[in-house]
């Protein structure tokens, strides 16, 4: 009968790390492409009302956000505590809303310009007077697609 001898002099070969930089850069590239950065710094309080039936917007690239609410603590000295309109990263007046809508249209492709939805993210304690004024300005700018932002109501 033959015996199998175990050769104790052989060592396991070292793991090749030549492809490790390729893998690291591939992962880095993947996360850079798939991650979205927050575009707007909120300058107003934005605790939106709760809703029981909500629907997600399909194409977020065609959504233009208009924030309305009381300025945050750091802006209350300069702007007071009355509800303000925030467009992108600055406070705006009702008269500036039309030019904002025109600039948003120009930033989109020509075939998407009539499909822009204005998402109104309004603080829940805001009065309807300012909301009605915003809707009137949107009508003047011929931007008739309006969505009201809300958060999902927690079921008990």
């Amino acid at each position: 009968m033959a015996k199998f001898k175990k050769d104790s002099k052989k060592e396991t070969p070292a793991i090749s790390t030549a492809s490790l930089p390729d893998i690291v850069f591939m992962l880095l590239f993947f996360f850079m492409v798939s991650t979205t950065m927050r575009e707007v710094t909120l300058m107003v309080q934005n605790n939106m009302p709760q809703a029981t039936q909500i629907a997600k917007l399909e194409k977020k690239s065609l959504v233009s956000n208009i924030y309305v609410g009381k300025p945050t603590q750091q802006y209350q000295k300069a702007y007071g505590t009355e509800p303000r309109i925030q467009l992108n990263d600055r406070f705006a007046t009702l008269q500036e809303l039309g030019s904002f809508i025109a600039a948003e249209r120009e930033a989109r492709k020509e075939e998407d310009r009539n499909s822009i939805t204005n998402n109104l993210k309004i603080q829940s304690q805001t009065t309807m007077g300012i909301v009605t004024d915003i809707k009137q300005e949107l009508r003047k700018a011929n931007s008739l697609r309006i969505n009201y932002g809300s958060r999902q109501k927690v079921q008990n």
Side-chain angles (χ1 to χ4, degrees):
M1 233 180 170
K3 274 185 162 180
F4 293 103
K5 290 185 182 180
K6 193 171 189 182
D7 193 9
S8 61
K9 294 179 182 177
K10 287 186 179 177
E11 293 180 14
T12 57
I15 297 174
S16 174
T17 58
S19 63
L20 190 61
D22 294 337
I23 295 170
V24 169
F25 284 116
M26 229 177 2
L27 285 171
L28 179 66
F29 182 73
F30 171 76
F31 286 114
M32 284 175 54
V33 170
S34 63
T35 303
T36 58
M37 302 304 265
R38 184 176 212 165
E39 296 175 8
V40 176
T41 304
L42 281 179
M43 299 164 59
V44 295
Q45 295 175 4
N46 198 289
N47 50 347
M48 295 183 294
Q50 295 181 349
T52 54
Q53 296 180 351
I54 61 172
K56 278 193 169 186
L57 294 172
E58 294 300 320
K59 282 190 158 184
K60 291 196 177 190
S61 62
L62 296 177
V63 175
S64 175
N65 289 315
I66 300 171
Y67 300 94
V68 180
K70 193 167 86 169
T72 57
Q73 194 68 33
Q74 65 188 36
Y75 296 107
Q76 284 184 0
K77 273 191 173 178
Y79 296 103
T81 58
E82 290 299 312
R84 300 284 308 220
I85 301 169
Q86 179 184 344
L87 305 174
N88 291 335
D89 281 331
R90 64 183 187 83
F91 287 116
T93 62
L94 283 171
Q95 293 75 24
E96 296 171 322
L97 195 56
S99 61
F100 170 75
I101 297 298
E104 288 288 311
R105 280 191 185 135
E106 290 298 318
R108 305 298 198 293
K109 290 187 262 181
E110 191 170 343
E111 60 267 10
D112 293 337
R113 288 182 182 168
N114 292 330
S115 302
I116 297 174
T117 302
N118 297 301
N119 189 21
L120 298 178
K121 293 189 173 188
I122 303 169
Q123 183 183 13
S124 58
Q125 290 84 19
T126 304
T127 59
M128 278 305 290
I130 193 166
V131 177
T132 305
D133 294 341
I134 291 171
K135 287 171 43 178
Q136 293 295 333
E137 288 296 320
L138 290 173
R139 281 188 197 131
K140 289 177 190 174
N142 199 23
S143 183
L144 304 177
R145 288 181 179 221
I146 298 175
N147 179 58
Y148 293 99
S150 64
R151 52 194 165 113
Q152 180 76 39
K153 187 172 187 177
V154 180
Q155 300 293 330
N156 292 338

